[in-house]
Amino acid sequence: MLKQGIDWSDVRWEEVWKASKDTLTMLGASLLFTIILGLLLGVVLFLTSRRQLLDQPVVYWLLSLVVNILRSVPFVILMIMIMPVTKALTGTTLGVQGSIPPLVVAAAPFFARLVETSLREVDRGVIEAAQAMGASRWEIVRRVLLLEARPGLLAGITITAVTLVSYTAMSGVIGGGGLGDLALRYGYQRFQTSVMIVTVGLLIVLVQILQMAGDLMVRRFSRK
C-alpha cells in the first residue's frame, strides 16, 4: 500500500520527462506498425469472408482463429511468451525497443477486427456498382472500401491508440520503460504517492488528447 501523505519532493521531474518521452516513442512506433499490419489483416479478413470479393471460408476461419487467440492472451502474459521473438527482432527484451514488438502483436489483431467491422458497414450497393463499372479488386479496396469506411477506420485508430497507452503502462512490469515503469518502481515499490499521482495524471492527459484528436478527425471526414 502507498505511504501516508504526499511528498512532492519525491518527484524527479527529469525522470518524469524521460519516461514521458519513452511512452510517446513506444506509442508512436507501435501505433504505426499496428495500423499497417492491422489494416492489411483486417482487409484480408473482410475480403475472404462469405459473399465478399475473395470468399475463402477456410482462409477466413484460420485468420480469424489466429486473431482470436492473440486477443485472448492477457498482455502481460503475451509479453513474456514472445520474449524470444522480441530478442531476435530487437536484440533486447527491455526498454523501449523491447516493448514495441509485444505492443504490436497485442494491438494489431485488435485493430484488425475494428477494420473488418468498419468495412462491413460499407453499403454493398456501392461495391456492386464499382464492380459493374469494371473496377479491379484492388481499385475497389483502395477507392471504395477504404474511402467509404474512413470515419470508422479513424475511430478504430483512436480506440487502438488509447488501448496502446494502457499497454505501454503495463510494459513496465518487465522493465519496458515509460510512465508505467516509473509508476511501478517509485509509486508502488517505493510507496511514493506523488510519483504515482503524476504518472497517472500524465497518462490521463495523453488519453484525453488522443481521444479529442480522434473525434475531431472522425467529424472532419464523416459525411455531412
Side-chain angles (χ1 to χ4, degrees), residues 20-221:
S20 300
K21 290 194 296 183
D22 287 346
T23 293
L24 291 175
T25 300
M26 285 190 287
L27 175 63
S30 60
L31 182 60
L32 175 62
F33 289 115
T34 294
I35 291 173
I36 295 172
L37 296 177
L39 184 62
L40 290 174
L41 182 56
V43 169
V44 174
L45 280 169
F46 173 76
L47 293 178
T48 56
S49 59
R50 291 187 181 278
R51 299 182 59 194
Q52 299 304 332
L53 296 177
L54 297 181
D55 193 359
Q56 296 288 335
V58 175
V59 175
Y60 176 81
W61 182 84
L62 290 174
L63 289 176
S64 184
L65 179 63
V66 173
V67 167
N68 290 339
I69 290 174
L70 291 175
R71 290 177 61 198
S72 301
V73 181
F75 180 64
V76 174
I77 298 176
L78 180 64
M79 285 191 298
I80 299 172
M81 285 178 57
I82 69 169
M83 274 185 173
V85 177
T86 302
K87 179 76 171 180
L89 290 174
T90 65
T92 181
T93 59
L94 302 175
V96 174
Q97 289 183 329
S99 298
I100 292 176
L103 287 171
V104 175
V105 172
F110 174 77
F111 181 59
R113 282 299 188 196
L114 297 178
V115 171
E116 181 188 7
T117 301
S118 297
L119 295 179
R120 289 188 184 280
E121 294 176 354
V122 176
D123 187 354
R124 187 169 179 81
V126 178
I127 301 175
E128 292 174 349
Q131 288 178 303
M133 290 187 293
S136 65
R137 291 171 178 172
W138 167 244
E139 289 174 332
I140 292 175
V141 170
R142 184 166 59 91
R143 297 183 178 180
V144 178
L145 288 173
L146 295 180
L147 285 180
E148 291 292 321
R150 188 163 49 184
L153 294 176
L154 290 173
I157 291 174
T158 302
I159 295 171
T160 303
V162 171
T163 302
L164 278 169
V165 172
S166 65
Y167 285 173
T168 60
M170 285 188 282
S171 68
V173 174
I174 60 170
L179 292 170
D181 181 58
L182 193 68
L184 180 66
R185 287 189 293 113
Y186 292 96
Y188 177 71
Q189 294 177 349
R190 302 185 186 182
F191 309 115
Q192 295 179 354
T193 309
S194 57
V195 177
M196 184 70 76
I197 292 175
V198 169
T199 53
V200 171
L202 288 173
L203 290 172
I204 292 174
V205 170
L206 178 57
V207 167
Q208 293 300 316
I209 292 174
L210 290 172
Q211 189 64 58
M212 291 172 60
D215 291 344
L216 181 63
M217 293 181 67
V218 170
R219 288 196 299 269
R220 179 179 178 182
F221 289 103

